[in-house]
Amino acid sequence: MLQVKKISFAYKKDLVIQNISFKASLGEHISIIGESGSGKSTLLKLLHGEYDLDNGEIYWKKKKILGPKYNLITGPEYMKYVAQEFDLLPFTTVETNIGEFLSNLYLNKKQKRVAELIKVVGLKDVAKTKIKYLSGGQKQRVALARALAKEPQIILLDEPFSHIDNFKKHHLRRSLFNYLKNNNITCITATHDKEDVLGYSDTILVIDQGKLLASESPKVLYSNPKHKLIASFFDEYNEFKTSEISDIDNDNTILVYFNEIKPSRFSNIKVIVKKSFFKGNYYLIEGILNNRSIFFNSKKNLKENTEVFITIPKNIIKKRLN
């Protein structure tokens, strides 16, 4: 188990990580989300022992993870960190890079291991190609495979699919995260992309200006976002006073995703259509409510300047008020 106990860290005098604590069990997948500059990458580097903590402690299976004051080579053997810079060998092949740190004493075993990981990251067609000829996305996949080569117990991923195009990204996510789960490898992923999280993460840590804002399952955070930062990670949203959208007479503000609002003939919430945007299998409607723009989804295209009525399910309103 990974145990992070009240850690803090500052570059010079500016605190980047402030009093953060959490745990990760063997095989658990934790995602770290937050705005750029919130401290996500720094947190991963602290877990990897690349910096010395100002306060707090980090343990893996009761063994303390220490920084460069105590280690000439940072990063424990049982842990691998895949940064946004790949540090590959440009003049050698994909196969050579992945198997770089595997022993040649058991050559057959090494070759099988490399072939297995090439399949996981989908690089069979370029297995014998030199790194310098690969795209950025292909290099990122090589870095992921190389990190897994020596069977780490825990892997730290910093924006692991940022260079990979959408044609390959969805399949790679499923392949990689299923591999980690099936092999009981703990995974800590820092990401800006909700698709890296939904369906894969057990827990999300929300970091805001170096502080831990929330720690919950993806389902809990998505279903009841208490902060704008959390809601904006998952989807676009509107802010409403409850008195605008229900018979609850107060000025409490709740966050409602665009897709939670539906056109309805049985509502008294009147909106004037301003604009309609085609989004594939639905239309995004911009409407005017109480002299401001709101947005909602519609199965049909709605004409500009027409009146429509919208509704928000009562169970969503009640949940957001709790």
Side-chain angles (χ1 to χ4, degrees), residues 1-3 43-51 58-68 70-82 101 146-148 150-156 185-186:
M1 174 186 284
L2 178 71
Q3 297 183 69
L43 179 54
L44 289 185
K45 290 176 181 178
L46 290 169
L47 298 179
H48 196 232
E50 296 191 16
Y51 301 133
I58 302 171
Y59 291 88
W60 175 255
K61 294 182 177 180
K62 298 183 180 180
K63 188 173 183 179
K64 196 171 185 179
I65 297 175
L66 299 171
Y70 305 92
N71 296 292
L72 290 175
I73 300 175
T74 57
E77 182 65 24
Y78 52 80
M79 179 187 293
K80 292 299 176 185
Y81 171 46
V82 182
F101 301 111
R146 187 168 75 162
L148 292 170
K150 293 190 74 175
E151 303 179 74
Q153 298 175 53
I154 177 170
I155 188 167
L156 312 174
I185 299 170
T186 301

Side-chain angles (χ1 to χ4, degrees), residues 27-42:
E28 186 175 1
H29 185 164
I30 290 182
S31 290
I32 305 169
I33 69 170
E35 295 179 310
S36 296
S38 62
K40 300 188 303 296
S41 295
T42 299

Side-chain angles (χ1 to χ4, degrees), residues 246-299:
S246 72
D247 54 7
I248 301 172
D249 187 18
N250 65 43
D251 289 332
N252 289 342
T253 299
I254 62 171
L255 309 177
V256 180
Y257 298 117
F258 294 175
N259 62 16
E260 293 175 321
I261 304 172
K262 307 296 180 186
S264 173
R265 291 176 296 173
F266 307 103
S267 171
N268 59 0
I269 308 172
K270 186 171 67 176
V271 173
I272 306 299
V273 176
K274 183 178 179 182
K275 203 163 186 179
S276 181
F277 303 89
F278 176 65
K279 303 292 284 186
N281 60 351
Y282 69 95
Y283 289 85
L284 175 64
I285 309 299
E286 180 180 3
I288 302 299
L289 174 67
N290 295 334
N291 298 316
R292 75 178 194 281
S293 288
I294 66 161
F295 294 84
F296 59 96
N297 296 347
S298 171
K299 291 181 180 180

Side-chain angles (χ1 to χ4, degrees), residues 178-189:
N178 287 339
Y179 175 87
L180 296 176
K181 187 64 74 172
N182 291 338
N183 288 273
N184 215 27
I185 299 170
T186 301
C187 177
I188 313 290
T189 304

Side-chain angles (χ1 to χ4, degrees), residues 89-107:
L89 304 172
F91 300 104
T92 59
T93 67
V94 169
E95 291 175 326
T96 301
N97 271 268
I98 293 172
E100 180 186 3
F101 301 111
L102 296 178
S103 173
N104 288 318
L105 293 176
Y106 307 97
L107 195 56

